[in-house]
């Protein structure tokens, strides 16, 4: 039987967080894990963030020999694939440790669910207690953390899982979908009706009820035929055909909040609805700006830590390739604005000349009178 997963902050006293003997535990509830697995947005969004963070891989700059050594480490240890898995797990659990085996030239992702405790001394992480009676010192592992951090003593040693940000939305959305699907099922399924003879004894009637409610039906109606003589049973069915409330807009609201909590807009994740393109390009630009920050603030330090641990190299630069490129529409709009601005300045120069004032345009498109720049073109 697998270990029970729970998901809530440590409820022990505050000083336990600073006690290396006890360590800091974390729980993940089955309810939250099931909500994540049952929601069609969560896993694709986490996968997309991980893919987009690594698809446009970087180039290395620096001393030729150093760059060659770093490239060799990245290739031999399959660092790109490892980071993909480790980063995905860090989004779900808040962190993910990695073990490097230099003798075997291998790296291993330690699944966060296997961590029993994080050991803390004087507010500093000093070790990880792993299931299977293995304790690693902090300097034996390289850890990637979700950038949403809390201070140590409030769960910061674990990082913050994206699931914690969207817990209520996942829960309520699952309730809405469950209730709606049941309502549809009930409205479309017939309700069996069975009436027993009025002459049936109470014991026989109770047995009849027990047998009848075990039928494969959502709801059934049983009773006695009051005022009807004889030993005949009466069977029938009832179709309710009730209207089901449309929750489409409510579901969209929850889906948008879930997507936002996962760091991606709903339109980017599910696509733009017909006739509703407003803001989609802006959403894409903001999303890739966030991914770019993740590359430089989360993934790059993780790569550097791995490389330094394996070969000791630190004197090189990582240059990430651009993530977002302007569309033809954006380029055309920018060129139109630049052209209009230039025409406005030319017209302004003509008006100044009519007033007897000599003015020119410099190479940057700025209006110059004498030695003074009186108008600055937008860059």
């Amino acid at each position: 039987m697998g270990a029970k997963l729970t998901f809530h902050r440590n409820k022990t006293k505050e000083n336990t967080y600073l006690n290396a003997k006890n360590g800091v535990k974390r729980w993940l509830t089955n309810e939250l894990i099931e909500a994540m697995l049952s929601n069609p947005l969560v896993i694709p969004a986490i996968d997309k963030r991980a893919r987009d963070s690594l698809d446009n891989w970087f180039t290395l700059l620096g001393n030729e020999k150093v760059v060659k050594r770093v490239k060799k480490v990245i290739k031999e240890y399959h660092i790109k694939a490892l980071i993909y898995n480790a980063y995905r797990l860090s989004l779900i659990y808040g962190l993910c440790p990695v073990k490097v085996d230099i003798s075997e030239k291998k790296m291993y992702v330690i699944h966060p669910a296997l961590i029993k405790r994080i050991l803390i001394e004087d507010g500093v992480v000093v070790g990880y207690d792993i299931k299977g009676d293995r304790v690693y010192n902090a300097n034996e592992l390289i850890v990637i953390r979700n950038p949403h951090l809390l201070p140590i003593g409030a769960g910061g040693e674990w990082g913050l899982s994206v699931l914690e940000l969207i817990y209520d939305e996942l829960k309520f959305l699952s309730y809405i979908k469950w209730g709606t699907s049941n309502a549809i099922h009930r409205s479309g399924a017939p309700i069996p009706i069975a009436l027993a003879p009025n002459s049936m004894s109470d014991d026989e009637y109770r047995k009849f009820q027990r047998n009848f409610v075990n039928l494969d039906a959502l709801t059934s109606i049983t009773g006695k035929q009051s005022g009807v003589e004889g030993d005949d049973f009466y069977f029938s069915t009832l179709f309710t055909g009730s209207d089901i409330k449309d929750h489409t807009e409510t579901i969209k609201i929850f889906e948008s909040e879930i997507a936002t909590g996962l760091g991606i807009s709903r339109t980017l994740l599910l696509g733009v609805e017909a006739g509703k393109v407003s803001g989609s390009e802006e959403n894409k630009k903001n999303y890739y700006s966030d991914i770019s920050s993740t590359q430089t603030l989360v993934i790059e330090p993780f790569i550097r830590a791995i490389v330094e641990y394996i070969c000791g190299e630190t004197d090189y630069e990582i240059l990430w390739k651009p993530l977002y490129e302007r569309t033809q529409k954006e380029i055309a709009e920018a060129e139109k604005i630049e052209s209009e601005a230039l025409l406005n300045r030319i017209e302004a120069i003509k008006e100044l000349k009519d007033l007897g004032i000599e003015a020119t345009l410099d190479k940057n498109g700025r209006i110059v009178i004498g030695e003074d720049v009186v108008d600055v073109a937008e860059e």
Side-chain angles (χ1 to χ4, degrees):
M1 181 177 177
K4 182 179 180 181
L5 297 175
T6 58
F7 196 93
H8 53 75
R9 290 289 174 196
N10 193 347
K11 293 184 178 180
T12 55
K13 294 181 180 179
E14 184 176 353
N15 59 9
T16 302
Y17 285 110
L18 306 179
N19 189 330
K21 181 179 179 181
N22 293 325
V24 181
K25 299 180 179 180
R26 185 191 185 94
W27 296 268
L28 290 175
T29 62
N30 286 333
E31 181 183 9
L32 185 56
I33 295 297
E34 289 169 3
M36 175 190 73
L37 295 175
S38 65
N39 188 282
L41 293 181
V42 180
I43 296 299
I46 289 173
D47 287 345
K48 179 172 175 57
R49 281 196 67 87
R51 285 196 310 273
D52 290 345
S53 297
L54 300 172
D55 273 352
N56 281 27
W57 200 231
F58 54 81
T59 55
L60 294 170
L61 304 175
N63 178 274
E64 185 178 349
K65 290 183 178 179
V66 172
V67 168
K68 188 175 180 180
R69 290 189 68 189
V70 174
K71 285 183 176 180
K72 184 179 179 182
V73 168
I74 290 173
K75 182 178 179 180
E76 286 184 346
Y77 286 82
H78 306 288
I79 286 180
K80 187 174 183 179
L82 178 131
I83 292 175
Y84 173 74
N85 289 321
Y87 180 53
R88 288 172 70 248
L89 288 170
S90 75
L91 290 173
I92 297 172
Y93 289 89
L95 59 71
C96 181
V98 169
K99 172 65 177 172
V100 180
D101 187 337
I102 296 178
S103 62
E104 295 289 334
K105 291 187 176 180
K106 291 182 179 179
M107 295 178 63
Y108 307 91
V109 170
I110 297 177
H111 199 290
L114 297 177
I115 301 175
K116 294 194 295 185
R117 299 174 300 168
I118 295 180
L119 307 179
I120 309 293
E121 278 186 356
D122 299 325
V124 177
V125 175
V126 295
Y128 297 86
D129 185 1
I130 309 298
K131 290 179 182 178
D133 297 325
R134 177 66 191 269
V135 177
Y136 289 99
N137 291 327
N139 59 8
E140 292 182 86
L141 301 177
I142 302 169
V143 179
I144 186 170
R145 282 183 169 83
N146 184 355
H148 300 290
L149 294 179
L150 296 172
I152 284 189
E157 54 285 322
W158 276 95
L160 184 66
S161 166
V162 293
L163 301 182
E164 293 181 273
L165 301 175
I166 57 174
Y167 174 74
D168 287 340
E169 286 75 13
L170 286 175
K171 181 174 63 176
F172 294 142
L173 191 55
S174 66
Y175 291 163
I176 290 173
K177 290 185 175 180
W178 180 88
T180 302
S181 62
N182 268 273
I184 293 172
H185 191 180
R186 288 177 182 275
S187 67
I191 299 175
I193 300 174
L195 301 180
N198 197 41
S199 59
M200 181 179 284
S201 67
D202 290 341
D203 288 341
E204 290 175 328
Y205 178 65
R206 280 192 289 271
K207 184 178 179 180
F208 163 76
Q209 280 187 310
R210 285 195 301 271
N211 290 335
F212 195 81
V213 295
N214 286 332
L215 292 175
D216 186 17
L218 291 168
T219 305
S220 59
I221 300 174
T222 58
K224 287 187 177 182
Q225 301 179 64
S226 179
V228 178
E229 299 297 332
D231 297 326
D232 294 333
F233 289 84
Y234 172 80
F235 297 97
S236 183
T237 53
L238 174 66
F239 289 88
T240 58
S242 58
D243 293 331
I244 306 301
K245 185 177 180 180
D246 185 1
H247 294 288
T248 302
E249 293 305 316
T250 304
I251 289 174
K252 284 182 181 179
I253 291 172
F254 279 114
E255 286 179 343
S256 295
E257 292 181 352
I258 288 171
T260 301
L262 294 170
I264 181 172
S265 71
R266 182 179 181 276
T267 54
L268 275 177
L269 195 56
L270 299 179
V272 182
E273 296 179 38
K276 295 185 179 181
V277 297
S278 177
S280 60
E281 287 302 321
E282 191 65 27
N283 288 337
K284 186 183 294 185
K285 191 183 300 182
N286 292 337
Y287 168 70
Y288 282 113
S289 175
D290 184 39
I291 292 294
S292 179
S293 297
T294 297
Q295 288 177 332
T296 55
L297 300 177
V298 180
I299 295 176
E300 183 173 327
F302 188 52
I303 294 171
R304 287 185 171 276
I306 293 172
V307 171
E308 184 178 2
Y309 188 94
I310 294 172
C311 69
E313 296 292 357
T314 59
D315 190 17
Y316 59 92
E317 295 297 325
I318 291 177
L319 181 64
W320 292 93
K321 295 177 182 177
L323 290 167
Y324 179 79
E325 296 182 3
R326 292 191 302 176
T327 63
Q328 290 298 321
K329 180 181 178 181
E330 287 178 314
I331 294 172
E333 288 177 349
E335 290 176 347
K336 180 182 177 183
I337 291 172
E338 291 172 5
S339 298
E340 289 176 349
L342 181 60
L343 289 173
N344 289 337
R345 284 162 175 73
I346 293 173
E347 187 65 31
I349 288 175
K350 290 180 179 178
E351 292 178 1
L352 289 170
K353 286 184 176 179
D354 291 341
L355 296 172
I357 302 173
E358 285 297 323
T360 58
L361 283 178
D362 68 8
K363 63 180 181 180
N364 294 316
R366 300 175 298 184
I367 297 177
V368 180
I369 300 177
E371 296 181 356
D372 298 324
V373 176
V374 297
D375 186 18
V376 181
E378 294 182 359
E379 296 181 356

